Amino acid sequence: MNFESFTGRVMEMNDFSVQMNNTGSGCYKMFTVADREGAVVNFVIEPGTYFVDHVLVKVGDIVTGYYDADAPTPFIYPPQYRAIVMAKEKSGQFVKVDHFNRQLVSSDGTLKLNLTRSTPILLENGQSFSGRPENRELVVVYSNTTRSMPAQTTPHKVIVLC
């Protein structure tokens, strides 16, 4: 996937219907998010959208939505993206969603992971991941980085997007 993100304040949260017969009623949401410059994005929240730390988001929260920039999207305004990951802003915590290669460097070359035996590597459902995290799409939660290029971090936890 080609992950892109958009950060802003949640302005509205509404039910979103995806089926004509309403069988999915209540299972899908639409978050309207506006950034500081006034740009607006609508995120479709599906039952499978991963929320970092399984937090509950409400109107007024600052969030970052991650989506696949290569996925087809309707040609409408404001843009509407299928949220793959949502992260609620938390002081001192950073989140990176990306493909990490064999050396655990992000696809954009800006972050390298230094994993230790105590770094939790989890599945989206919170269970331990028993495989290797290399060459996978990961959600990385961290705080400190080096000032090198790429920046290096020992993450607080890593979530594998299977």
Side-chain angles (χ1 to χ4, degrees), residues 84-100:
I84 297 167
V85 175
M86 292 296 290
K88 184 175 171 178
E89 184 176 272
K90 184 177 175 183
S91 180
Q93 176 176 289
F94 303 99
V95 175
K96 174 94 173 158
V97 180
D98 206 346
H99 179 86
F100 286 79

Side-chain angles (χ1 to χ4, degrees), residues 10-157:
V10 178
M11 306 307 287
E12 289 182 41
M13 300 169 70
N14 297 300
D15 284 341
F16 181 72
S17 182
V18 295
Q19 297 172 342
M20 297 300 268
N21 60 6
N22 245 1
T23 58
S25 179
C27 294
Y28 294 79
K29 303 287 182 189
M30 176 82 74
F31 287 11
T32 301
V33 179
D35 71 8
R36 292 177 190 228
E37 288 78 42
V40 176
V41 164
N42 284 328
F43 282 111
V44 176
I45 308 300
E46 302 175 343
T49 300
Y50 177 73
F51 281 76
V52 175
D53 296 329
H54 302 285
V55 296
L56 183 64
V57 173
K58 61 188 182 312
V59 171
D61 288 341
I62 297 175
V63 297
T64 300
Y66 297 88
Y67 58 94
D68 182 357
D70 292 336
T73 58
F75 192 65
I76 58 174
Y77 181 83
Q80 180 176 300
Y81 302 116
R82 180 182 154 254
I84 297 167
V85 175
M86 292 296 290
K88 184 175 171 178
E89 184 176 272
K90 184 177 175 183
S91 180
Q93 176 176 289
F94 303 99
V95 175
K96 174 94 173 158
V97 180
D98 206 346
H99 179 86
F100 286 79
N101 67 17
R102 287 182 49 204
Q103 290 77 36
L104 292 175
V105 175
S106 61
S107 68
D108 63 4
T110 61
L111 188 64
K112 179 177 183 352
L113 307 182
N114 296 319
L115 302 180
T116 66
R117 288 180 183 230
S118 62
T119 304
I121 303 174
L122 308 169
L123 295 168
E124 294 171 75
N125 62 13
Q127 301 304 302
S128 292
F129 176 71
S130 58
R132 300 183 56 92
E134 297 89 359
N135 287 318
R136 293 182 178 271
E137 278 79 31
L138 305 174
V139 177
V140 179
V141 180
Y142 63 100
S143 57
N144 299 331
T145 63
T146 63
R147 295 184 186 262
S148 60
M149 197 50 159
Q152 297 185 38
T153 190
T154 303
H156 298 295
K157 66 180 168 183

